[in-house]
Amino acid sequence: PASGVPDEVSGLGVPTLEAIVAVTFAGLALSATPGPSMLYVLSRSIGQSPSAGLMSAAGLAVGGIALAAAAALGLAATVQYSPALYATIRLAGGAYLIYLGLMSVHNARADVDSVKSVGQVRRVQSLDRIFLQGIVVELLNPKTILFFMAFIPQFVDDTAGSVVFQMLVLGALVPLTAVPSDIIVALSGGVIANKISAHRRVGVALHWLSATVLIGLGLRIFVDF
Protein backbone atom coordinates (compact mmCIF):
# COMPACT_ATOMS: atom_id res chain seq x y z
CA PRO A 1 0.00 0.00 0.00
CA ALA A 2 0.98 3.61 -0.54
CA SER A 3 1.19 4.20 3.20
CA GLY A 4 3.93 1.61 3.51
CA VAL A 5 1.90 -0.39 6.04
CA PRO A 6 1.51 -4.08 5.10
CA ASP A 7 -2.03 -5.14 4.17
CA GLU A 8 -2.13 -7.78 6.89
CA VAL A 9 -1.26 -5.14 9.52
CA SER A 10 -3.46 -2.32 8.25
CA GLY A 11 -6.33 -4.80 7.97
CA LEU A 12 -6.22 -5.30 11.73
CA GLY A 13 -7.26 -1.71 12.25
CA VAL A 14 -4.09 -0.38 13.89
CA PRO A 15 -4.93 2.83 15.82
CA THR A 16 -3.60 6.06 14.35
CA LEU A 17 -0.48 7.64 15.81
CA GLU A 18 -2.63 10.58 16.92
CA ALA A 19 -4.91 8.25 18.90
CA ILE A 20 -1.97 6.42 20.51
CA VAL A 21 -0.28 9.68 21.52
CA ALA A 22 -3.53 11.14 22.89
CA VAL A 23 -4.34 8.05 24.97
CA THR A 24 -0.76 7.79 26.25
CA PHE A 25 -0.67 11.46 27.26
CA ALA A 26 -4.04 11.22 28.99
CA GLY A 27 -3.02 8.04 30.80
CA LEU A 28 0.20 9.60 32.07
CA ALA A 29 -1.63 12.71 33.28
CA LEU A 30 -4.25 10.67 35.11
CA SER A 31 -1.78 8.25 36.70
CA ALA A 32 0.21 11.13 38.21
CA THR A 33 -2.84 12.32 40.15
CA PRO A 34 -3.18 11.37 43.83
CA GLY A 35 -6.09 8.97 43.90
CA PRO A 36 -7.23 5.44 44.86
CA SER A 37 -4.59 3.60 42.79
CA MET A 38 -1.72 5.72 44.06
CA LEU A 39 -2.96 5.36 47.64
CA TYR A 40 -3.25 1.60 47.25
CA VAL A 41 0.35 1.27 46.03
CA LEU A 42 1.54 3.74 48.68
CA SER A 43 -0.10 1.76 51.47
CA ARG A 44 1.63 -1.43 50.39
CA SER A 45 4.98 0.23 49.90
CA ILE A 46 4.99 2.15 53.18
CA GLY A 47 3.22 -0.49 55.22
CA GLN A 48 5.23 -3.52 54.08
CA SER A 49 8.01 -2.91 51.56
CA PRO A 50 8.80 -1.42 48.13
CA SER A 51 8.57 -4.95 46.71
CA ALA A 52 5.01 -5.22 48.02
CA GLY A 53 4.24 -1.90 46.37
CA LEU A 54 5.64 -3.15 43.06
CA MET A 55 3.59 -6.33 43.22
CA SER A 56 0.41 -4.40 43.98
CA ALA A 57 1.14 -2.15 40.99
CA ALA A 58 1.66 -5.19 38.77
CA GLY A 59 -1.65 -6.63 39.93
CA LEU A 60 -3.46 -3.38 39.16
CA ALA A 61 -1.96 -3.35 35.66
CA VAL A 62 -3.01 -6.93 34.90
CA GLY A 63 -6.51 -6.27 36.22
CA GLY A 64 -6.71 -3.11 34.14
CA ILE A 65 -5.70 -4.93 30.96
CA ALA A 66 -8.32 -7.60 31.63
CA LEU A 67 -10.99 -4.93 32.02
CA ALA A 68 -9.77 -3.21 28.86
CA ALA A 69 -10.20 -6.47 26.95
CA ALA A 70 -13.70 -6.97 28.33
CA ALA A 71 -14.67 -3.40 27.43
CA ALA A 72 -13.21 -3.79 23.94
CA LEU A 73 -15.21 -6.94 23.22
CA GLY A 74 -18.43 -5.42 24.54
CA LEU A 75 -18.04 -2.16 22.65
CA ALA A 76 -17.06 -3.95 19.45
CA ALA A 77 -20.24 -6.01 19.58
CA THR A 78 -22.22 -2.81 20.07
CA VAL A 79 -20.57 -1.23 17.02
CA GLN A 80 -21.43 -4.26 14.90
CA TYR A 81 -25.04 -4.77 15.93
CA SER A 82 -26.24 -1.31 16.96
CA PRO A 83 -24.38 1.73 15.61
CA ALA A 84 -27.05 4.01 17.07
CA LEU A 85 -26.51 2.57 20.55
CA TYR A 86 -22.76 2.95 20.11
CA ALA A 87 -23.24 6.63 19.25
CA THR A 88 -25.36 7.02 22.39
CA ILE A 89 -22.62 5.35 24.46
CA ARG A 90 -20.07 7.78 23.04
CA LEU A 91 -22.19 10.79 23.97
CA ALA A 92 -22.88 9.39 27.44
CA GLY A 93 -19.16 8.67 27.74
CA GLY A 94 -18.33 12.28 26.90
CA ALA A 95 -20.68 13.49 29.61
CA TYR A 96 -19.13 11.00 32.06
CA LEU A 97 -15.60 12.23 31.29
CA ILE A 98 -16.67 15.82 31.93
CA TYR A 99 -18.26 14.70 35.21
CA LEU A 100 -15.04 12.94 36.25
CA GLY A 101 -13.08 16.09 35.47
CA LEU A 102 -15.36 18.25 37.60
CA MET A 103 -15.19 15.71 40.44
CA SER A 104 -11.40 15.68 40.18
CA VAL A 105 -11.39 19.42 40.92
CA HIS A 106 -13.98 19.02 43.68
CA ASN A 107 -12.05 16.22 45.43
CA ALA A 108 -8.56 17.63 44.87
CA ARG A 109 -7.83 18.82 48.39
CA ALA A 110 -9.46 15.79 50.02
CA ASP A 111 -7.38 13.38 47.93
CA VAL A 112 -4.17 15.27 48.69
CA ASP A 113 -4.98 15.25 52.41
CA SER A 114 -5.63 11.49 52.28
CA VAL A 115 -2.02 10.95 51.21
CA LYS A 116 -0.97 12.20 54.64
CA SER A 117 -2.92 9.48 56.40
CA VAL A 118 -2.36 6.58 54.02
CA GLY A 119 -3.02 3.43 56.03
CA GLN A 120 -0.38 0.97 57.10
CA VAL A 121 -0.74 -2.67 56.09
CA ARG A 122 -1.52 -4.45 59.32
CA ARG A 123 0.24 -7.69 58.51
CA VAL A 124 2.91 -8.87 56.12
CA GLN A 125 1.57 -10.88 53.21
CA SER A 126 3.28 -12.94 50.54
CA LEU A 127 4.07 -11.13 47.29
CA ASP A 128 2.01 -13.52 45.18
CA ARG A 129 -1.00 -12.89 47.41
CA ILE A 130 -0.49 -9.13 47.11
CA PHE A 131 -0.28 -9.50 43.30
CA LEU A 132 -3.59 -11.37 43.19
CA GLN A 133 -5.21 -8.82 45.49
CA GLY A 134 -4.14 -6.05 43.10
CA ILE A 135 -5.87 -7.85 40.22
CA VAL A 136 -9.05 -8.33 42.24
CA VAL A 137 -9.07 -4.72 43.43
CA GLU A 138 -8.99 -3.50 39.82
CA LEU A 139 -11.45 -6.06 38.49
CA LEU A 140 -13.99 -5.15 41.16
CA ASN A 141 -13.72 -1.43 40.51
CA PRO A 142 -16.86 -0.46 38.53
CA LYS A 143 -15.49 3.02 37.85
CA THR A 144 -12.64 1.53 35.82
CA ILE A 145 -14.88 -0.29 33.37
CA LEU A 146 -17.06 2.83 33.05
CA PHE A 147 -13.95 4.85 32.28
CA PHE A 148 -12.92 2.45 29.52
CA MET A 149 -16.42 2.59 28.07
CA ALA A 150 -16.29 6.39 28.07
CA PHE A 151 -12.68 6.94 27.07
CA ILE A 152 -11.75 4.51 24.32
CA PRO A 153 -14.62 4.89 21.79
CA GLN A 154 -13.68 8.43 20.76
CA PHE A 155 -10.33 7.24 19.41
CA VAL A 156 -11.66 4.30 17.39
CA ASP A 157 -12.34 4.47 13.65
CA ASP A 158 -15.06 1.92 12.94
CA THR A 159 -14.31 2.13 9.19
CA ALA A 160 -10.61 1.28 9.51
CA GLY A 161 -10.31 -2.45 10.15
CA SER A 162 -10.93 -4.40 13.32
CA VAL A 163 -12.65 -2.37 16.01
CA VAL A 164 -11.75 -5.02 18.59
CA PHE A 165 -8.04 -4.74 17.83
CA GLN A 166 -8.09 -0.94 18.00
CA MET A 167 -9.89 -1.03 21.33
CA LEU A 168 -7.58 -3.68 22.75
CA VAL A 169 -4.48 -1.66 21.85
CA LEU A 170 -5.82 1.65 23.12
CA GLY A 171 -7.46 0.09 26.17
CA ALA A 172 -4.25 -1.66 27.21
CA LEU A 173 -2.37 1.65 26.98
CA VAL A 174 -4.40 3.10 29.86
CA PRO A 175 -3.20 0.70 32.61
CA LEU A 176 0.26 0.38 31.01
CA THR A 177 0.86 4.14 31.15
CA ALA A 178 0.20 3.97 34.90
CA VAL A 179 3.03 1.45 35.41
CA PRO A 180 5.94 4.00 35.42
CA SER A 181 4.30 6.23 38.03
CA ASP A 182 3.26 3.21 40.11
CA ILE A 183 6.85 1.94 40.09
CA ILE A 184 8.11 5.34 41.24
CA VAL A 185 5.49 5.43 43.99
CA ALA A 186 6.35 1.88 45.09
CA LEU A 187 10.10 2.51 45.24
CA SER A 188 9.92 5.91 46.92
CA GLY A 189 6.51 5.88 48.57
CA GLY A 190 7.50 7.58 51.80
CA VAL A 191 9.36 10.37 50.02
CA ILE A 192 6.45 11.01 47.65
CA ALA A 193 3.92 11.04 50.49
CA ASN A 194 6.01 13.58 52.40
CA LYS A 195 6.49 15.76 49.31
CA ILE A 196 2.79 15.83 48.49
CA SER A 197 1.93 16.56 52.10
CA ALA A 198 4.51 19.34 52.34
CA HIS A 199 3.66 20.87 48.95
CA ARG A 200 -0.10 20.64 48.85
CA ARG A 201 -0.36 22.93 45.84
CA VAL A 202 1.54 20.44 43.70
CA GLY A 203 -1.01 17.71 44.41
CA VAL A 204 -3.90 20.08 43.73
CA ALA A 205 -2.24 21.23 40.49
CA LEU A 206 -2.02 17.60 39.34
CA HIS A 207 -5.75 17.27 39.92
CA TRP A 208 -6.38 20.37 37.82
CA LEU A 209 -4.22 18.90 35.06
CA SER A 210 -6.19 15.66 35.21
CA ALA A 211 -9.48 17.58 35.18
CA THR A 212 -8.40 19.60 32.15
CA VAL A 213 -7.53 16.43 30.22
CA LEU A 214 -10.80 14.70 31.13
CA ILE A 215 -13.04 17.66 30.37
CA GLY A 216 -11.19 18.34 27.11
CA LEU A 217 -11.64 14.74 25.98
CA GLY A 218 -15.30 14.81 26.93
CA LEU A 219 -15.95 18.03 25.02
CA ARG A 220 -14.14 16.62 21.99
CA ILE A 221 -16.80 13.93 21.66
CA PHE A 222 -19.60 16.50 21.48
CA VAL A 223 -17.65 18.66 19.00
CA ASP A 224 -17.09 15.65 16.73
CA PHE A 225 -20.83 15.00 16.66
Side-chain angles (χ1 to χ4, degrees):
S3 64
V5 179
D7 288 331
E8 61 272 18
V9 175
S10 60
L12 285 175
V14 178
T16 64
L17 179 61
E18 177 187 3
I20 292 174
V21 171
V23 172
T24 300
F25 175 76
L28 289 172
L30 294 174
S31 63
T33 304
S37 295
M38 179 182 287
L39 293 176
Y40 180 73
V41 176
L42 265 178
S43 67
R44 287 297 181 188
S45 179
I46 297 175
Q48 183 164 332
S49 69
S51 296
L54 289 173
M55 291 304 291
S56 64
L60 289 173
V62 171
I65 292 174
L67 282 180
L73 293 173
L75 286 169
T78 303
V79 171
Q80 181 178 357
Y81 297 108
S82 181
L85 178 58
Y86 180 66
T88 301
I89 290 174
R90 286 193 66 195
L91 289 173
Y96 182 66
L97 289 174
I98 294 172
Y99 167 77
L100 287 179
L102 295 175
M103 291 304 296
S104 180
V105 173
H106 178 72
N107 296 330
R109 295 187 181 278
D111 285 347
V112 171
D113 288 341
S114 65
V115 173
K116 299 178 183 179
S117 57
V118 61
Q120 297 269 322
V121 178
R122 295 185 177 181
R123 60 190 179 87
V124 175
Q125 298 181 352
S126 64
L127 295 183
D128 58 341
R129 183 177 179 83
I130 290 173
F131 174 74
L132 292 175
Q133 285 178 346
I135 295 176
V136 173
V137 165
E138 194 69 1
L139 287 176
L140 296 181
N141 185 355
K143 291 184 179 180
T144 303
I145 190 68
L146 286 174
F147 180 77
F148 281 128
M149 297 287 283
F151 184 71
I152 300 304
Q154 63 179 299
F155 298 103
V156 173
D157 183 356
D158 56 3
T159 66
S162 171
V163 171
V164 174
F165 186 75
Q166 291 181 69
M167 290 182 175
L168 283 174
V169 172
L170 296 175
L173 281 176
V174 176
L176 289 178
T177 52
V179 171
S181 63
D182 285 343
I183 290 176
I184 293 173
V185 169
L187 294 178
S188 53
V191 175
I192 290 176
N194 291 333
K195 289 291 184 183
I196 292 177
S197 298
H199 303 282
R200 195 181 188 193
R201 291 182 180 178
V202 174
V204 173
L206 289 173
H207 269 281
W208 275 95
L209 172 61
S210 172
T212 301
V213 171
L214 289 170
I215 293 172
L217 290 172
L219 291 175
R220 171 183 167 173
I221 296 177
F222 289 96
V223 171
D224 286 346
F225 271 88

